[in-house]
């Protein structure tokens, strides 16, 4: 596997409304753990659409991993200015990521025109990647269900790796165990 698409929930779908919410660090730790394993097995590129939430957090993780690993980041939003209605703090993260990514190119020129752009984005990400990593809770699907459906329809030769709520609980416990304050 050389190219991995990463996606998941938007922050509000996880009831996360502040960039400094401690749960973000748990999601990022889970993404990092999985990405390191893939990188050590030969992963070259992480591609994402740059939507707020899991995708932006994954982008930040990839940029951190670039300090230790030879990994590249591509951001392919469905259209230009997708961040224009987002909170300012999230817009800044998005703009920093798009400037530091190894590749950035909106799928469609111009602003939002219709839902077809999101459908085309999902199809493009699946078509251009060898596998995907998705944060998904089968009991509480969000907007990520549309990507998951597209990935599921692509056939048996397209692996879908999932970070589940149980995986996040395991990460929380791992981080708690290495926290010296926890043991005092």
């Amino acid at each position: 596997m050389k190219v991995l698409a990463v996606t998941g929930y938007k922050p509000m779908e996880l009831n996360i409304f502040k960039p400094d919410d401690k749960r973000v660090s748990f999601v990022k730790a889970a993404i990092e753990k999985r990405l390191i394993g893939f990188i050590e097995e030969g992963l070259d590129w992480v591609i994402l659409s740059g939507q707020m939430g899991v995708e932006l957090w994954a982008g930040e993780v990839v940029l951190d991993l670039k300090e230790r690993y030879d990994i590249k980041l591509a951001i392919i939003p469905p259209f230009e200015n997708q961040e224009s209605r987002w909170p300012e703090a999230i817009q800044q993260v998005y703009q920093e990521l798009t400037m530091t990514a190894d590749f950035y190119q909106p799928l469609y020129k111009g602003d939002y025109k219709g839902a077809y752009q999101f459908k085309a984005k999902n199809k493009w990400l699946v078509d251009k990647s060898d596998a995907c990593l998705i944060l998904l809770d089968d009991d509480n699907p969000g907007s990520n269900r549309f990507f998951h459906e597209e990935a599921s329809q692509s056939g048996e030769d397209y692996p879908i790796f999932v970070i589940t709520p149980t995986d996040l609980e395991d990460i929380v416990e791992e981080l708690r165990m290495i926290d010296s304050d926890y043991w005092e």
Side-chain angles (χ1 to χ4, degrees), residues 59 63 66 73 75 93-103:
L63 290 184
K66 285 170 102 23
L73 174 65
I75 301 175
V93 170
Y94 178 81
Q95 289 161 358
E96 288 172 22
L97 279 175
T98 60
M99 287 189 289
T100 54
D102 297 285
F103 185 83

Side-chain angles (χ1 to χ4, degrees), residues 30-96:
I31 293 168
E32 179 177 352
K33 183 176 182 178
R34 295 299 285 278
L35 288 181
I36 288 172
F38 295 138
I39 292 167
E40 290 176 349
E41 293 174 9
L43 180 66
D44 290 329
W45 283 89
V46 170
I47 62 174
L48 38 91
S49 71
Q51 77 180 17
M52 69 171 116
V54 169
E55 290 192 27
L56 287 185
W57 302 329
E60 291 175 315
V61 168
V62 171
L63 290 184
D64 289 344
L65 290 174
K66 285 170 102 23
E67 296 174 13
R68 296 179 280 158
Y69 298 96
D70 185 21
I71 185 70
K72 295 178 190 76
L73 174 65
I75 301 175
I76 315 295
F79 48 86
E80 295 174 324
N81 304 312
Q82 80 167 339
E83 79 284 8
S84 64
R85 294 184 181 176
W86 299 352
E88 191 172 322
I90 298 174
Q91 284 185 32
Q92 288 177 340
V93 170
Y94 178 81
Q95 289 161 358
E96 288 172 22

